[in-house]
Amino acid sequence: MAEFKDKDEEIKYWKEKCIELEKDLAELSESSKQVENELEALLQDADKNNKELRTKNNRMKLDFETLQDKLSQFQEDSFRQIEELQQANTTFQEREENYKKYIRELEQKNDDLERSQRETHTSYREYNEKFNGALEKIAILQDELCEKESLKATVQRLKDEASELRQEIKIQEKKMLSEQEKSAADRRRSSFRLATMPGSLDIGNTAPNKNKNVNNASPLITTNRSAMDIVGDILRKVGLEKWLCPACAHVKCDCDVPRPPLFGSSSSPLSTPSPLRRPNSYYSPSS
């Protein structure tokens, strides 16, 4: 605190101090009014903001309640979906286990099928080899059958030709027999005429008649032999030389020689054995 020399100085000091305080009070009043006005404005703004915030708060509460309801509904839906997904997951797991089991069974069946396929391929190769062998045998049998058919056709053709030749030989035999009968009849007639003639003529002409008979028999033998030669030539032309006698090359002879078989060996099913030649007989194969 300041020290004064006298009271006047102290009073003066306090007066000045009062004046300063009054000025400060006036300034403070003005500033307080300004502050009050500002505070009122701020209060109004605050009330306005408060109302807006309350409105916004109420709206946000409503939104919150709505969101909470939605959240509850979403949680319920989520829980339900989670349960459904869990059930679906369980179902899928069971299905996966079934699929794994089914895949294992399919793999086992596939292995069995592959093993069966390998066995089938092996059997197929074996059957194919057997089939090829059977085809070869069939081809050989077909060739043999064709050969047999051709041989049968040849045999039939040769039989037909032999039948024709036998008919020709029979015709030639009939001709020769008719010629022999005719010559015998001529001899009988001539001998009858000679017998009816006088005895001198019989005695004188006996030797010439005998010579005449011999001369008549000689052309007959020549005619018979020439016919046999013609038949032999015909058989040679048609390729039937085996029908001829191997000793004298004639169809009819007195040679006791066995003839060879007509077609192939005696073991062939198409060949027929040749009979032995008999005197004064024609050779003909058995049909």
Side-chain angles (χ1 to χ4, degrees), residues 78-257:
S78 298
F79 289 150
R80 186 173 60 254
Q81 289 179 358
I82 288 169
E83 290 178 356
E84 291 176 356
L85 290 173
Q86 286 178 352
Q87 292 178 358
N89 187 18
T90 304
T91 304
F92 287 150
Q93 287 178 354
E94 292 176 355
R95 190 177 296 175
E96 185 179 2
E97 292 295 329
N98 293 327
Y99 284 157
K100 288 181 180 179
K101 184 177 179 181
Y102 182 67
I103 288 170
R104 286 194 296 271
E105 292 177 355
L106 287 178
E107 289 176 351
Q108 184 67 32
K109 289 181 180 179
N110 189 18
D111 294 335
D112 295 337
L113 288 174
E114 287 179 354
R115 184 170 59 255
S116 177
Q117 186 178 8
R118 288 193 295 271
E119 293 176 355
T120 303
H121 282 309
T122 304
S123 301
Y124 174 74
R125 285 194 295 270
E126 293 177 356
Y127 290 149
N128 195 11
E129 291 176 357
K130 292 180 181 179
F131 180 71
N132 291 328
L135 286 178
E136 292 177 357
K137 290 181 181 179
I138 289 171
I140 294 170
L141 291 175
Q142 285 180 351
D143 293 336
E144 292 179 356
L145 183 61
C146 292
E147 186 177 357
K148 287 182 180 180
E149 291 295 331
S150 63
L151 289 174
K152 284 182 180 180
T154 305
V155 168
Q156 186 63 36
R157 180 175 59 80
L158 293 175
K159 284 182 179 180
D160 295 337
E161 292 177 356
S163 178
E164 293 176 358
L165 289 173
R166 281 197 295 271
Q167 291 178 0
E168 290 181 1
I169 290 170
K170 288 180 181 180
I171 293 169
Q172 293 294 332
E173 284 181 347
K174 288 180 181 179
K175 288 181 180 180
M176 287 186 289
L177 288 174
S178 63
E179 290 177 357
Q180 288 177 0
E181 290 176 356
K182 186 177 180 181
S183 63
D186 291 337
R187 286 196 301 273
R188 285 195 298 271
R189 283 195 299 271
S190 62
S191 62
F192 180 74
R193 284 196 300 271
L194 290 173
T196 57
M197 290 177 68
S200 60
L201 293 175
D202 292 337
I203 295 169
N205 294 326
T206 301
N209 287 330
K210 289 181 180 179
N211 293 327
K212 187 177 180 181
N213 291 330
V214 172
N215 292 328
N216 289 329
S218 179
L220 180 62
I221 295 170
T222 304
T223 304
N224 190 4
R225 183 60 61 188
S226 63
M228 293 297 103
D229 293 335
I230 291 170
V231 173
D233 292 335
I234 293 171
L235 290 174
R236 290 188 188 91
K237 287 180 181 179
V238 297
L240 296 176
E241 295 88 352
K242 294 182 179 181
W243 283 51
L244 302 176
C245 177
C248 61
H250 291 106
V251 178
K252 184 178 180 181
C253 66
D254 296 334
C255 301
D256 192 5
V257 179

